[in-house]
């Protein structure tokens, strides 16, 4: 099935999937905004805010990562090469996150 996809169709599939999966993070964003009035440290609203933003960040990073694969595929016309390069990008992002978590 992947061999019959073109980069354009794959991009549309990513956008549609991200939109459908984005319903939950957007709901969490609304919950975060509603919980703003209780942002004292240790309050339930504070923890809801943190978890809401985490879900949104994971959603955005996942969408960005998949979009870089299709963008690379579209630019080069080489799906296998795009997948290999995406592995290197993922490793770089994980190293950056590990370095940031050590501080």
């Amino acid at each position: 099935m992947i061999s019959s996809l073109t980069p354009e169709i794959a991009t549309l599939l990513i956008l549609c999937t991200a939109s459908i999966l984005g319903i939950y993070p957007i709901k969490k964003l609304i919950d975060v905004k509603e919980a703003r009035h209780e942002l004292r440290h240790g309050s339930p609203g504070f923890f809801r805010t943190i978890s809401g933003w985490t879900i949104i960040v994971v959603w955005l990073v996942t969408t960005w990562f998949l979009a870089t694969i299709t963008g690379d595929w579209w630019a080069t016309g080489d799906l296998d090469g795009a997948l290999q390069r995406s592995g290197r990008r993922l490793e770089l992002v994980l190293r950056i996150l590990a370095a940031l978590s050590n501080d």
Side-chain angles (χ1 to χ4, degrees):
M1 179 176 157
I2 290 180
S3 62
S4 64
L5 287 177
T6 64
E8 295 87 357
I9 293 172
T11 301
L12 289 174
L13 286 173
I14 287 174
L15 288 174
C16 291
T17 304
S19 296
I20 290 168
L21 295 177
I23 292 171
Y24 182 70
I26 294 302
K27 182 190 173 301
K28 291 298 275 185
L29 178 63
I30 292 168
D31 290 343
V32 165
K33 293 295 183 184
E34 289 176 352
R36 284 251 178 219
H37 67 280
E38 295 182 22
L39 290 181
R40 293 183 309 265
H41 191 67
S43 70
F46 178 76
F47 293 118
R48 284 180 51 195
T49 300
I50 291 173
S51 67
W53 284 112
T54 302
I55 292 169
I56 291 169
V57 168
V58 168
W59 171 65
L60 286 173
V61 168
T62 302
T63 303
W64 168 81
F65 182 72
L66 294 174
T68 61
I69 294 171
T70 58
D72 189 350
W73 178 22
W74 198 338
T76 62
D78 179 24
L79 178 58
D80 292 331
L83 291 173
Q84 289 175 356
R85 288 185 291 276
S86 72
R88 283 188 246 145
R89 280 191 294 272
L90 180 62
E91 181 182 347
L92 179 64
V93 168
L94 292 176
R95 285 185 185 203
I96 290 171
L97 289 175
L100 290 174
S101 69
N102 287 336
D103 289 340

